[in-house]
Amino acid sequence: MTNESKSHDYEREPVPMHLRKGWLSMSLVWIAIGIDLSAMFLGAELGAGMNLTDSLTATMIGSVILGIIGALCAYVGAKTGLSTAMISRFLFGNRGALIVSVVLGIFSLGWFGVQAGFFASNMQTAFLKLWNIDLSLGLLSFIGGMLMMSTAIWGYRSIERLSVWSVPLLVIFIGVAFYTAIHTQGTAAIWEPISAAPIPMGTAISLVIGIFIVGTILSPDIARWARTPKHAIIAAFIGFFVGNSFMTVIAIFLSRLMDTSDLTNIFIMLGLGLPAIIVLTLAQWTTNTNNLYSASLGFSVVFKRVPKKWITVIAGLIAILLAVLGIYDRFLSFLNVITMFVSPIGGIYTAEYLLVDRKKFTFEGLDRNKKWIIRSLVVWVAATFFAYMTTAAPDGFGLFQLTSVPALDAFICAFVVQWIVGKMMNRKG
């Protein structure tokens, strides 16, 4: 393999077949992305607000749904060999795709900034409780962001190498924490009545899905590296199911054993200070690297003459600056809103590829594609508006509910409408 092929990330073209990966290494990438602090804290909240059986049931149902959606989206990525932003050119036209790519880039960039700030907040707590060292959130955001950006610069293969060794290490440290908690606390606390306000089953499932559904929409960014569509489907389902559920389930048990939802504090209470630092770092590193990677793929479609490495560096520095300024505190509402814009994109491209017209998904004819494809743009707007109608105030209108997960509502609406409208337009044509 030449040095050029090692460094080239094929952001604007299909990944060559001889460089494609097997399902196991790709599964590890998705598992690593799914193991993050958000899943840990969600699990702790479910553990406090539901009995053990119900919290585990909600996690499994939500994770299976994520796995199915992820597998569908990954299939399209593997068949085309293209990123989500590049696939959008088949759906929205070469000009219309620029709008989609910017939305994908901004969303991913925003999450990078939020997660870097989230990482800094938890790391500050760990340093203060362990060594009484009070580090500023700005400094920790900068250090964490630079660490996460370093891997994203070098593309998928760098992310893969990070995941291959970080996942086993994470599992070992988390396993030690789980064993220590059972050894010191016993198992009786697992079955204790809930200590917080009850969480309804529907709400719990929606939280499990909502925390990672946009990751499934962006799965072609990883799946384009799959050796075959079958490898992509297996890897995506395992990755989204295991990656999303693993940390949530562990957090449910740990929070019930230790009677607190503060995961950082749980590690420290168990005398696992250094493992706590390592888990915090690796969990966010593997997840946030992918956020910046997806952002750079989106912006690469817009800024065609700029090398992807430079796009990654510039985008990363902007996101780090946002984190240093503390924007993650005020950014969450914006991210909830933009999630409704991203989810329909997955419904549109899966419906078009699986049920409407897969023949047009050929890279060779892409430059002769229309500038604008109005029907997909209309479906995108309609599905986004539908999600706003099912989203509670203040972020939406809250007129009615479908699945209780607005992002999933948007995906389903876009899938069904794209299928029906696409078939009708093809018949007329």
Side-chain angles (χ1 to χ4, degrees):
M1 188 186 295
T2 64
N3 287 331
E4 185 182 359
S5 64
K6 285 181 180 178
S7 61
H8 192 22
D9 203 51
Y10 305 97
E11 61 273 12
R12 301 182 190 96
E13 59 192 293
V15 176
M17 290 306 300
H18 70 279
L19 295 177
R20 303 284 187 104
K21 312 289 182 177
W23 67 269
L24 181 58
S25 68
M26 297 189 70
S27 296
L28 290 175
V29 171
W30 267 313
I31 290 171
I33 292 167
I35 296 177
D36 72 342
L37 298 181
S38 304
M40 292 168 70
F41 283 90
L42 172 62
E45 291 301 317
L46 294 181
M50 305 179 81
N51 65 45
L52 182 66
T53 304
D54 287 347
S55 59
L56 293 178
T57 300
T59 303
M60 291 301 109
I61 292 173
S63 297
V64 166
I65 292 170
L66 282 174
I68 292 170
I69 296 174
L72 283 174
C73 295
Y75 176 78
V76 180
K79 290 291 284 186
T80 61
L82 297 169
S83 69
T84 313
M86 285 295 292
I87 289 170
S88 70
R89 291 177 64 183
F90 297 115
L91 284 307
F92 302 97
N94 290 337
R95 289 279 177 84
L98 299 181
I99 300 172
V100 177
S101 299
V102 168
V103 169
L104 293 175
I106 289 174
F107 173 82
S108 302
L109 203 62
W111 257 125
F112 183 92
V114 169
Q115 297 276 15
F118 194 36
F119 162 83
S121 177
N122 287 281
M123 195 64 77
Q124 185 186 53
T125 302
F127 271 88
L128 194 60
K129 290 190 175 182
L130 284 171
W131 301 297
N132 202 30
I133 299 173
D134 189 7
L135 297 173
S136 76
L137 286 173
L139 176 64
L140 290 169
S141 296
F142 178 78
I143 294 170
M146 292 298 288
L147 192 69
M148 297 157 189
M149 185 175 74
S150 66
T151 320
I153 290 171
W154 300 105
Y156 174 81
R157 281 159 287 194
S158 180
I159 298 173
E160 180 188 30
R161 283 192 289 272
L162 173 65
S163 302
V164 163
W165 65 263
S166 66
V167 169
L169 198 58
L170 276 167
V171 171
I172 290 169
F173 280 129
I174 293 165
V176 169
F178 188 53
Y179 172 80
T180 306
I182 291 178
H183 186 70
T184 56
Q185 303 296 118
T187 58
I190 293 174
W191 308 101
E192 290 289 323
I194 62 173
S195 56
I199 300 174
M201 178 63 74
T203 302
I205 294 171
S206 73
L207 287 171
V208 173
I209 296 169
I211 203 170
F212 213 58
I213 188 169
V214 174
T216 65
I217 306 306
L218 296 172
S219 63
D221 295 349
I222 303 297
R224 65 200 182 100
W225 291 87
R227 192 170 294 153
T228 65
K230 183 179 179 181
H231 280 264
I233 291 170
I234 294 171
F237 185 82
I238 292 174
F240 284 110
F241 177 71
V242 175
N244 191 69
S245 63
F246 175 74
M247 278 310 305
T248 306
V249 168
I250 291 294
I252 287 170
F253 279 102
L254 285 177
S255 65
R256 294 188 70 82
L257 284 167
M258 305 301 293
D259 195 28
T260 176
S261 60
D262 187 341
L263 264 295
T264 306
N265 202 35
I266 286 174
F267 273 88
I268 294 169
M269 287 165 64
L270 293 171
L272 300 171
L274 187 59
I277 298 292
I278 294 171
V279 167
L280 284 169
T281 303
L282 288 180
Q284 285 309 92
W285 189 355
T286 51
T287 302
N288 226 11
T289 289
N290 188 64
N291 288 329
L292 185 54
Y293 180 61
S294 288
S296 66
L297 289 174
F299 290 129
S300 291
V301 172
V302 180
F303 304 106
K304 296 179 181 179
R305 296 183 180 181
V306 182
K308 180 176 160 290
K309 285 183 182 178
W310 285 111
I311 291 175
T312 307
V313 170
I314 294 167
L317 290 174
I318 292 171
I320 291 169
L321 178 62
L322 294 176
V324 169
L325 294 174
I327 200 166
Y328 75 98
D329 258 344
R330 300 176 291 277
F331 219 51
L332 290 178
S333 182
F334 169 72
L335 289 173
N336 287 334
V337 170
I338 208 166
T339 297
M340 293 178 250
F341 280 89
V342 176
S343 298
I345 296 169
I348 289 169
Y349 72 69
T350 50
E352 188 76 17
Y353 189 87
L354 297 174
L355 300 172
V356 181
D357 183 14
R358 72 174 58 189
K359 292 178 182 177
K360 71 179 182 182
F361 286 73
T362 56
F363 179 72
E364 290 72 21
L366 201 49
D367 288 333
R368 298 190 300 274
N369 196 19
K370 293 179 181 178
K371 291 183 178 180
W372 302 91
I373 299 177
I374 301 301
R375 69 176 171 89
S376 296
L377 288 166
V378 170
V379 172
W380 185 27
V381 172
T384 300
F385 184 71
F386 183 80
Y388 272 99
M389 290 194 291
T390 65
T391 300
D395 292 334
F397 305 130
L399 298 179
F400 58 90
Q401 282 195 337
L402 183 62
T403 65
S404 77
V405 188
L408 184 57
D409 294 345
F411 179 91
I412 294 170
C413 176
F415 186 94
V416 172
V417 176
Q418 183 75 9
W419 174 28
I420 294 171
V421 172
K423 286 292 187 182
M424 288 172 60
M425 296 288 284
N426 282 354
R427 282 195 194 123
K428 286 180 182 179

